[in-house]
Amino acid sequence: MVDREVQELEQAVEQIWEIATTRFGLDPFPVRFEIVPASVMYEVGSYALPGRYSHWTFGKAYHRMKMMYDFGLSKIYEVVINSNPSYAFLLETNSPTQNKLVIAHVLGHIDFFKNNVYFSKTNRRMIDEAALHARRMSEYEFKYGRKVVEEFLDAVLSIEEHVDPNFFIRKPHENPDKEEDKKPRRREGRYDDLLSKEERDEQNEGTDDQAGKQRRRAGLPEKDLVYFLMKNSPSLEPWQRDIMAMLHEEMEYFIPQLQTKIMNEGWASIWHSRIMREMDLPTNEHLEFAELHAGVVSPHKGQLNPYYLGYKIFEDIEKRWDKPTDEEREKFGRRGGEGREKMFEVRELDNDISFLRNYLTEELCEELDLFVYQLVDEEDWTVTEKKWERVRDQLVANMTNFGFPYIEVVDGDYDGNRELYLMHRYEGVELDMKYARRTLEHLYKLWGREVHLETQVDEGALVMHYDGREHDED
Amino acid sequence: MSVQRNDWSLQRKGQIDQDRHKERVRDAIKKNLGSIVSNESIILSDGKRVVKVPIRSLDEYKFRFDYRKKKHVGTGDGDSKVGDVIGHEGLPGQGPGAGQGAGDQPGQEYYEAEVDIDEIAKLIFEDLHLPYLEEKAKQAVPSKTTKFTEIRRAGILSNLDKRRSLIENIKRQARETGNAHIGPFKREDLRYKSWEEQVTYESNAVVIAMMDVSGSMGEFKKYIARSFYFWMVRFLKTKYDNVKIVFISHHTEAKEVNEGQFFTQGESGGTVVSSAYRLALDVIGERFPAHDWNIYPFHFSDGDNYYSDNDEAVKLADELIATCNLFGYGEIGEEGASSYRRSSGALLSIFKDRLKSQDRFVGVRIDDKEEVYPALKEFFGKRGETA
């Protein structure tokens, strides 16, 4: 890209910012745009944050994305980072029109990051934080060996999504360490091994065993597996707990993005299209824009395109609050002409689940031709449901817990032997058993003792066990 | 608000982690050589250098739902109705694609790694060699290797031995300052690796590859024989500069064929094993006298020999063994037959009972694709370090 084009881009940024903030009332963080080559674009895309720690899974993602690009199969136009100031990366091969659209789209995202309530607790300096993590991680690699750290990361990453999305409202009494400090414990004597078991139990009564058990049970069940293992695993070294804390923090940062994918993309798409229409583009650029925009917000047959779905719902909200039906006027007291206001309210207060539950209407379901499909007779993926409430509820159900099975620690001292007992809160869909077994192996590495997982298969309870050597199920 | 364009040319993070991933792939390949050796995409690669093989251990395991038992939501063309079939399971590219949200990807069973056949070959051939290789009178084959053998004080920078240079530096610091540490480098600290070309002479060798192409050699059996010979030919061509290979295929009659025919021939007719052995002996007699050549006959068959031919086959096999360095026989069973099949015609058990000289005979039974690699190791493994 030559300097003249950079200058033109700077002017475009000014103009787009002006339209977005003054005319449409968007309120984004200041942004720094970086023009980067494809290799860097895909690097940021695969790590989700620039400068993040190293792991082979990022390399795998990078390789795949880069290949798709090199073969012309897919292309990322932008990556935007939720921070203050925000960073956005533009591909150096983008055309001027593509760049304008991307800049407008990015401002929509950043407005969403700044104002949606689910993002209010995210660390806006996460890039710095991630870089610090990366440095600490590489120090551990140096000290304990790359393979050792890598293997440990493999184990933690297998459960990384199992954190509590509302971690920030954790109450102090849920932190078991604090209580431990208060209660005096009988110190282990030098000659304790001479006492019989009963005598020892007697001496320990009311102190170690009981209180220990209670203490370990306090705060259970615990949905945040990463946090629970970090705090309570009998076998982890301090550096390993530190790594878990770092990954936990990074996951907390990403959670709001998982929770608002549809809204976030819908919001950005609404504003890129409106801003671009205000831009007074020459005819050829306008055509290019129209084509790009149509590509972004088009239905993908048999799938769900979050850009399209979010875009349609936001448009529909605006319409229904601008021109309410007589019934809506009467029943809900809508005065009309409040469309814009309502959209901004939704972007502030909702996440994908409430967004769909509150604003996906029967008419929209029909217009978008949404349906539920499933595998029939192990053979055909078949449409099995068209009733709009059922479709909506299925959509919401699939998004619950970011699409992951809901798994809790119910006992950290199972069988009086400090074994780990997990419970899958079964809601009608079975686990992938092969994956579950392998994940239990990872959990064993983190816990150091036997691990159990209770789930359901064929409508009956099933408990899976792994003791470090073999799997067992009953 | 600003637009920046920086120099990213030194940014290599993605590249570095991609290498880490590659390293994992290599490790996984090492662990799975057994199944990779007989993988269709390699054997049938038709000269492609890079092939895709499924590798298990590179999946990122997580708790996830069984994709096939889950209900999904999709969008249609506008007129979808209950009962419409939108895709079929198991057909690549036809099933519904990624759904919405993380962890909702279709259950991809394996990670498909791209591997370079040469790289796999290197791993497989690491421990293989021609056993009982002897020095023969004529036509010694020179083979050249380059080895870094020496350390010198002068050399080109790309051959700098960093470790030794560091040690020299520390030594000099210790001498000069009395304190062993790393200080500024001087030219005299630097050490360079230097190489030598080693020419070794290898004896002549000829491998006689015999394959049963009778009617009973079905799809699976032929595939096994083919994958064995695929690697054998590759192995011989990589490791030995001038090994000759003679291809013989037989049913009731034996015929010398070229490499292309050998690998593509269809099957028909009955089985008379002795015909192949007789032809092998003729070929040896005419073109490869035993005092000039190391001779390795290999034979793959399902062991279903014509009953009255067994005595003749044993006799000729004994003759072969007498003139050869090693005689290898591979018997291929039915697919998945795990137990040892002892039908009257099974040649392997007859050979094991009745051959006079057992120590230069290697018999292997293969019932499964994964047993091709062990068979290779059995035939070309460590034995007879006599030469």
Side-chain angles (χ1 to χ4, degrees), chain A residues 1 3 6 10 13 17 30-37 40 43 47 51-57 59-60 62-63 141 146-147 150 154 157-158 160-162 262 300-304 306 368-375 378-386 391 394-395 398-399 402-405 407 424 429-432 434-436 438-439 443 453, chain B residues 1-25 27 52 55-91 94-112 114:
Chain A
M1 193 176 277
D3 285 338
V6 176
E10 268 172 352
V13 169
W17 177 272
V31 203
R32 198 177 130 171
F33 290 94
E34 287 261 4
I35 297 154
V36 297
V40 173
E43 191 178 300
Y47 287 73
R52 219 172 161 199
Y53 65 91
S54 279
H55 191 255
W56 64 272
T57 48
K60 179 175 156 186
Y62 169 74
H63 180 58
E141 282 186 349
R146 184 158 81 69
K147 287 280 164 198
E150 181 174 297
D154 287 353
L157 289 174
S158 77
E160 67 171 335
E161 292 88 358
H162 294 271
I262 293 174
H300 299 172
K301 199 185 169 210
Q303 309 174 4
L304 263 188
L368 301 173
D369 194 21
L370 296 182
F371 54 76
V372 174
Y373 64 91
Q374 66 192 94
L375 194 59
E378 305 265 298
E379 204 171 280
D380 295 328
W381 289 97
T382 310
V383 176
T384 51
E385 186 65 77
K386 286 281 291 178
V391 172
Q394 190 64 49
L395 203 48
N398 289 355
M399 257 178 256
F402 339 120
F404 284 89
I407 288 168
H424 168 216
V429 191
E430 289 174 16
L431 295 181
D432 180 329
K434 186 185 128 198
Y435 267 61
R438 294 300 192 95
T439 312
L443 273 165
L453 170 67
Chain B
M1 221 60 43
S2 69
V3 179
Q4 304 260 338
R5 191 179 38 147
N6 295 311
D7 181 7
W8 291 89
S9 57
L10 289 176
Q11 183 75 8
R12 288 281 182 279
K13 198 172 172 56
Q15 203 65 41
I16 289 167
D17 280 354
Q18 187 182 327
D19 288 344
R20 288 185 175 201
H21 176 232
K22 271 200 194 142
E23 212 175 287
R24 298 272 295 210
V25 174
D27 287 350
K52 281 189 165 187
I55 292 189
R56 240 169 225 277
S57 59
L58 286 175
D59 282 338
E60 295 154 48
Y61 293 104
K62 289 174 186 293
F63 290 121
R64 65 174 195 186
F65 291 117
D66 189 335
Y67 185 80
R68 294 156 47 92
K69 291 187 178 169
K70 207 177 150 175
K71 292 177 181 168
H72 307 265
V73 178
T75 40
D77 282 342
D79 53 358
S80 69
K81 40 188 193 308
V82 171
D84 286 0
V85 175
I86 57 170
H88 297 284
E89 181 63 6
L91 294 178
Q94 281 234 10
Q100 146 64 37
D104 204 16
Q105 307 294 313
Q108 196 190 2
E109 273 291 312
Y110 297 99
Y111 174 76
E112 291 241 308
E114 291 205 334

Side-chain angles (χ1 to χ4, degrees), chain B residues 1 3 5 8 38-39 45 75 89 140 145 164-165 179 202 212 215 229 235 238 240 256 329 343 348 355 360 377 379:
Chain B
M1 221 60 43
V3 179
R5 191 179 38 147
W8 291 89
S38 44
N39 189 282
S45 63
T75 40
E89 181 63 6
T145 47
R164 285 195 203 246
S165 304
N179 175 11
E202 274 164 7
D212 184 351
Y229 280 128
F235 150 64
T238 330
Y240 299 91
E256 189 177 339
Y329 173 70
S343 75
L348 182 60
L355 282 181
R360 291 291 174 103
K377 284 206 284 200
F379 286 135

Side-chain angles (χ1 to χ4, degrees), chain A residues 155-211:
Chain A
V156 184
L157 289 174
S158 77
I159 54 163
E160 67 171 335
E161 292 88 358
H162 294 271
V163 299
D164 182 357
N166 301 319
F167 191 77
F168 54 88
I169 39 180
R170 199 146 281 257
K171 296 177 201 82
H173 77 256
E174 285 173 13
N175 188 339
D177 281 358
K178 295 272 159 55
E179 277 175 52
E180 189 174 38
D181 297 341
K182 278 184 241 154
K183 281 203 188 106
R185 282 169 65 184
R186 181 185 163 274
R187 286 180 60 178
E188 272 178 40
R190 266 173 91 176
Y191 303 108
D192 275 5
D193 56 339
L194 297 175
L195 302 173
S196 73
K197 187 172 183 304
E198 288 75 33
E199 285 172 311
R200 252 182 295 157
D201 285 351
E202 218 167 278
Q203 293 204 7
N204 284 337
E205 205 183 358
T207 58
D208 208 29
D209 260 19
Q210 290 285 327

Side-chain angles (χ1 to χ4, degrees), chain A residues 63-267:
Chain A
H63 180 58
R64 195 178 40 221
M65 288 162 94
K66 185 76 171 31
M67 285 248 291
M68 300 274 275
Y69 172 77
D70 288 344
F71 292 154
L73 295 172
S74 85
K75 188 171 163 188
I76 315 180
Y77 295 102
E78 48 77 26
V79 173
V80 53
I81 309 292
N82 165 28
S83 60
N84 183 12
S86 292
Y87 290 86
F89 296 83
L90 308 175
L91 199 55
E92 68 182 3
T93 54
N94 283 352
S95 71
T97 319
Q98 281 171 339
N99 270 332
K100 282 175 198 160
L101 180 135
V102 164
I103 290 165
H105 190 84
V106 157
L107 291 187
H109 277 311
I110 299 174
D111 169 77
F112 196 89
F113 289 149
K114 185 177 173 187
N115 295 291
N116 181 274
V117 69
Y118 290 89
F119 284 87
S120 59
K121 298 288 176 185
T122 50
N123 183 350
R124 309 289 189 181
R125 304 182 61 93
M126 199 58 201
I127 297 180
D128 301 352
E129 197 67 34
L132 284 176
H133 290 173
R135 204 164 72 201
R136 233 145 78 211
M137 221 79 96
S138 76
E139 274 164 21
Y140 291 143
E141 282 186 349
F142 191 73
K143 203 163 165 192
Y144 302 103
R146 184 158 81 69
K147 287 280 164 198
V148 175
V149 173
E150 181 174 297
E151 219 168 90
F152 183 71
L153 277 172
D154 287 353
V156 184
L157 289 174
S158 77
I159 54 163
E160 67 171 335
E161 292 88 358
H162 294 271
V163 299
D164 182 357
N166 301 319
F167 191 77
F168 54 88
I169 39 180
R170 199 146 281 257
K171 296 177 201 82
H173 77 256
E174 285 173 13
N175 188 339
D177 281 358
K178 295 272 159 55
E179 277 175 52
E180 189 174 38
D181 297 341
K182 278 184 241 154
K183 281 203 188 106
R185 282 169 65 184
R186 181 185 163 274
R187 286 180 60 178
E188 272 178 40
R190 266 173 91 176
Y191 303 108
D192 275 5
D193 56 339
L194 297 175
L195 302 173
S196 73
K197 187 172 183 304
E198 288 75 33
E199 285 172 311
R200 252 182 295 157
D201 285 351
E202 218 167 278
Q203 293 204 7
N204 284 337
E205 205 183 358
T207 58
D208 208 29
D209 260 19
Q210 290 285 327
K213 192 141 195 104
Q214 268 173 17
R215 177 168 49 81
R216 286 196 283 270
R217 290 243 167 97
L220 291 179
E222 171 64 67
K223 187 244 181 280
D224 198 318
L225 301 190
V226 178
Y227 175 78
F228 183 86
L229 288 161
M230 174 184 85
K231 280 284 180 194
N232 300 297
S233 166
S235 72
L236 295 179
E237 304 278 334
W239 68 270
Q240 294 175 312
R241 293 184 208 272
D242 186 35
I243 283 186
M244 292 186 87
M246 292 191 269
L247 294 192
H248 192 277
E249 205 182 330
E250 293 189 12
M251 188 41 78
E252 275 178 77
Y253 168 81
F254 288 118
I255 278 177
Q257 299 185 25
L258 299 177
Q259 286 174 310
T260 57
K261 177 89 179 149
I262 293 174
M263 286 183 75
N264 210 335
E265 293 301 357
W267 186 253

